[in-house]
Amino acid sequence: MTEKLKRFYATFGDRGVMFILFAFSVVVHAMLSLYMQLPAINPDEVGVASITAFYTGRDWSSLMSSVGYYYGYVQALFYVPLALIFSSPYALYKAMLVMNGVLISFIPMIAYHLASKLGILQVWQKTVIALCCGFYITYIAHSKFIWNEAITSLLPWALIWCIFMAWDRKNKYSRFAFSMLAGFTCALCYAAHSRLIAVVIALVITLLIARFALREKILNLPTFFITMAISFVTEY
């Protein structure tokens, strides 16, 4: 068994391991989704379902008038193709939960990749870190409802990945590109859920301290702030 694992890693490397982590996570989340029957978190799930309906040309305004708020609108974008495919509300709800599992399954991949960036060389150590991060109990529980929590859980990890990729790149053009992506992701975080403005503020403070107190260039700050400002104005 050990020799087979070594041959697999020699052939596919870290990308193969990350793919296995992703596939394993999707299967686990899909199996857990089978036990969910009906929306249970109100008005959060109703709000996201209403936005999905709006994206697909349906009018749920009378229902939304009683809900009153919806927090964010990014999660519903991933449900639009499903709403166009499934006509049964029950099947659609199940498909939405599986989609949540797909989104959450990117977290162990990112965690594995970041572990490599932080200098962890042993594959089993990176795998354990990825599993611990990806199967954090809050991620498992909160992804079993069609509210905004799945994308809200993923986006901070995506933002951290952008930062590490920019920091790791010595080429100025690569750093410029990832700085732009980080700025856009900040606005995307706020669009996903207003709560994530705390993540954006924490990142900005960290970048300023690193640049002016520690003399550490993590991102191209002008590019980052300009992109973030434009993205926030566009999102608003």
Side-chain angles (χ1 to χ4, degrees):
M1 183 65 180
T2 303
E3 291 300 321
K4 290 182 179 179
L5 291 174
K6 289 181 178 179
R7 285 199 299 269
F8 174 85
Y9 186 76
T11 303
F12 299 102
D14 285 330
R15 292 185 178 182
V17 177
M18 288 190 288
F19 176 79
I20 295 297
L21 286 169
F22 177 79
F24 174 73
S25 179
V26 169
V27 170
V28 170
H29 282 288
M31 293 177 64
L32 292 174
S33 298
L34 296 177
Y35 294 95
M36 304 303 297
Q37 301 299 324
L38 296 170
I41 306 297
N42 294 312
D44 301 67
E45 287 192 278
V46 175
V48 175
S50 299
I51 298 170
T52 304
F54 171 76
Y55 287 155
T56 55
R58 299 176 177 88
D59 184 7
W60 286 23
S61 56
S62 58
L63 176 62
M64 279 302 294
S65 63
S66 63
V67 173
Y69 52 90
Y70 56 89
Y71 293 116
Y73 57 83
V74 176
Q75 181 79 42
L77 291 171
F78 295 94
Y79 296 154
V80 170
L82 304 177
L84 297 174
I85 295 172
F86 295 95
S87 57
S88 166
Y90 182 77
L92 175 59
Y93 186 71
K94 292 285 191 178
M96 288 174 168
L97 295 180
V98 173
M99 176 59 73
N100 287 355
V102 173
L103 294 174
I104 288 293
S105 295
F106 283 100
I107 294 178
M109 289 180 61
I110 296 174
Y112 185 95
H113 184 72
L114 292 179
S116 300
K117 294 291 183 183
L118 291 171
I120 299 174
L121 301 178
Q122 295 295 324
V123 176
W124 72 267
Q125 292 177 333
K126 292 185 287 187
T127 302
V128 169
I129 291 171
L131 292 174
C132 289
C133 293
F135 287 90
Y136 181 52
I137 189 61
T138 300
Y139 297 157
I140 295 175
H142 284 195
S143 63
K144 301 303 169 286
F145 306 97
I146 59 167
W147 51 357
N148 291 306
E149 300 304 316
I151 194 67
T152 301
S153 300
L154 173 61
L155 283 175
W157 282 95
L159 190 56
I160 294 172
W161 178 81
C162 290
I163 294 166
F164 268 85
M165 292 300 289
W167 196 7
D168 190 51
R169 291 297 188 273
K170 304 305 179 184
N171 185 293
K172 63 178 181 180
Y173 299 107
S174 298
R175 176 170 290 187
F176 176 85
F178 282 108
S179 297
M180 285 187 65
L181 185 58
F184 172 77
T185 305
C186 285
L188 193 62
C189 285
Y190 184 69
H193 201 300
S194 55
R195 159 192 331 136
L196 290 184
I197 193 64
V199 174
V200 177
I201 294 172
L203 173 61
V204 169
I205 293 173
T206 301
L207 292 174
L208 293 176
I209 291 175
R211 181 66 183 89
F212 297 107
L214 303 178
R215 304 297 181 185
E216 183 68 47
K217 295 181 180 179
I218 299 178
L219 297 178
N220 183 316
L221 291 185
T223 301
F224 168 75
F225 283 115
I226 291 172
T227 304
M228 183 173 65
I230 294 174
S231 299
F232 265 104
V233 171
T234 304
E235 183 272 332
Y236 182 78

